[in-house]
Amino acid sequence: MIQVENLFYTYPGNSSPTIKDINVSINEGEIFGFLGPSGAGKSTIQKILIGVLKDFQGNVKVLNQDVSKASSKFYRQLGVAFETPNFYQKFTALENLEFFAGFYNNTRLNLEDLLRKVALENTVNIRVSNFSKGMKMRLNIVRAFLHNPDLIILDEPTSGLDPVNVKKVQKFILEQKARGKTIILNTHNMNVAETLCDRVAFVVEGEIKLIDSPKNLKEAFSRKEIAVLHKEEGKENIEYFQLKLLGQNKRFQQILKGDELIKIHTVERTLEDIFVEVTGRALHDRETD
Ligand SMILES: Nc1ncnc2c1ncn2[C@@H]1O[C@H](COP(=O)(O)OP(=O)(O)OP(=O)(O)O)[C@@H](O)[C@H]1O
Ligand SMILES: [Mg+2]
């Protein structure tokens, strides 16, 4: 669906490239996530994939065609949700979707149905100017799908959403994948990435540091150890043990034989821990995210 080879991009006026030698291939029917901290270059990559930024170096094929020669057919097959939603403020959500659907002559999805998927069905009398940030974000996501495109590119689809709406959006995206869509998203939310993405790319300072499935990453980086919580002289204590040859570990046996064992559990590493280990960078500023 997408092949990117040796991609470099420098913004006009900048002395050094923002995107540095990116190589990635994305399969049909896959949900692929670009993960990285603010300023990593995620939105820049997306803008290249959709043909908005043109003066790049390297080869970029999207929907099996050279993106620099994108035709109107290309844009009928592509759905995009930009970081900042832009809508006609005086229109309602449905009126906005009807307006944007007017640009396409493809088979369209049922617009009311789309609004229902993101809990906007009761907004028929509300102008978008009176929408909350999260409502605009949800409308922005479904708009990307309204002309039934094959490839959908979503920039930060869950940013600014409360947990209930994050779940709704995730469910909607997974339903679309089940219908055969290829979906690319940017996020700094590792839970979203883990729930949705078949594969993720870790992006830092314009480079891809690693590409793999969340499952493989969690296996490869698992510490293969357990945590044992027990009481010692009246105080709770947690100790870690390697799974390898655990049965022969004297200290572990000693704790088991005592009667103050509270809990044993495996040590799971989150995608976020792995990101930090691989890239040496925190994914986001906890204060603002
Ligand atoms: N129009 C522009 N001109 C010059 N530099 C730009 C422009 N747009 C973005 N940049 C720079 O390119 C780098 C990557 O920006 P980009 O928007 O791609 O990051 P991002 O990973 O999407 O970040 P965020 O998570 O904050 O959205 C940043 O250093 C940014 O300042
Ligand atoms: Mg961005």
Side-chain angles (χ1 to χ4, degrees):
M1 189 54 103
I2 291 184
Q3 283 95 32
V4 176
E5 286 168 8
N6 310 115
L7 173 66
F8 287 81
Y9 181 75
T10 308
Y11 277 104
N14 282 7
S15 53
S16 57
T18 290
I19 300 302
K20 298 162 205 149
D21 200 13
I22 280 189
N23 291 278
V24 60
S25 156
I26 298 172
N27 306 319
E28 196 174 330
E30 170 168 58
I31 302 185
F32 189 94
F34 288 99
L35 313 187
S38 187
K42 306 180 297 294
S43 298
T44 305
I45 296 170
Q46 286 196 347
K47 284 177 191 153
I48 293 168
L49 296 180
I50 64 179
V52 167
L53 295 177
K54 292 183 190 299
D55 291 328
F56 56 82
Q57 282 175 272
N59 296 316
V60 180
K61 277 181 106 181
V62 178
L63 285 156
N64 303 318
Q65 58 180 299
D66 195 335
V67 78
S68 48
K69 297 184 189 121
S71 60
S72 57
K73 178 165 174 266
F74 174 84
Y75 288 102
R76 283 198 298 276
Q77 292 173 290
L78 174 70
V80 180
F82 289 103
E83 256 167 320
T84 20
N86 63 319
F87 287 105
Y88 285 89
Q89 300 294 315
K90 290 187 177 168
F91 289 178
T92 65
L94 185 59
E95 285 165 350
N96 264 287
L97 290 189
E98 279 165 349
F99 175 79
F100 288 103
F103 293 131
Y104 302 98
N105 49 14
N106 311 25
T107 352
R108 290 192 230 153
L109 306 187
N110 180 310
L111 301 183
E112 276 102 348
D113 208 34
L114 274 183
L115 289 176
R116 206 168 301 121
K117 296 283 186 195
V118 289
L120 289 176
E121 68 274 25
N122 295 322
T123 60
V124 273
N125 297 319
I126 309 173
R127 291 175 177 190
V128 167
S129 56
N130 294 332
F131 270 25
S132 69
K133 190 173 154 225
M135 288 164 84
K136 285 182 198 157
M137 283 303 294
R138 275 135 61 205
L139 182 58
N140 196 37
I141 293 160
V142 292
R143 177 177 56 183
F145 291 84
L146 68 83
H147 55 297
N148 204 14
D150 301 319
L151 171 66
I152 301 92
I153 300 190
L154 307 170
D155 203 347
E156 304 279 354
T158 58
S159 98
L161 298 185
D162 63 77
V164 172
N165 282 309
V166 168
K167 283 226 164 71
K168 286 198 177 113
V169 166
Q170 290 186 148
K171 186 164 174 255
F172 173 71
I173 292 174
L174 287 170
E175 278 170 16
Q176 294 292 328
K177 172 189 153 83
R179 299 173 58 169
K181 308 289 179 194
T182 306
I183 298 163
I184 296 176
L185 54 93
N186 283 345
T187 185
H188 11 109
N189 186 324
M190 283 291 171
N191 294 330
V192 169
E194 228 176 299
T195 310
L196 292 181
C197 295
D198 297 300
R199 287 188 306 148
V200 293
F202 287 177
V203 185
V204 175
E205 288 164 13
E207 290 178 84
I208 291 183
K209 301 289 181 188
L210 176 155
I211 300 176
D212 210 338
S213 69
K215 185 170 171 285
N216 283 351
L217 287 172
K218 288 184 90 165
E219 271 170 26
F221 285 83
S222 104
R223 287 225 180 85
K224 302 198 171 37
E225 61 183 17
I226 55 165
V228 178
L229 181 65
H230 64 107
K231 256 190 178 169
E232 204 167 40
E233 292 163 4
K235 267 185 155 176
E236 282 190 9
N237 184 21
I238 189 156
E239 289 181 48
Y240 295 89
F241 295 95
Q242 294 296 315
L243 285 179
K244 203 167 178 206
L245 301 176
L246 181 63
Q248 295 169 31
N249 186 305
K250 293 246 156 38
R251 174 67 184 145
F252 181 65
Q253 287 174 357
Q254 188 187 13
I255 297 173
L256 287 188
K257 283 177 193 151
D259 63 353
E260 300 223 83
L261 183 63
I262 301 169
K263 178 161 87 170
I264 297 180
H265 60 90
T266 52
V267 180
E268 294 291 337
R269 300 192 70 212
T270 64
L271 208 50
E272 182 147 6
D273 298 332
I274 299 167
F275 186 92
V276 173
E277 184 170 328
V278 170
T279 67
R281 289 281 309 268
L283 195 59
H284 55 190
D285 181 354
R286 288 197 179 278
E287 307 269 307
T288 57
D289 216 32

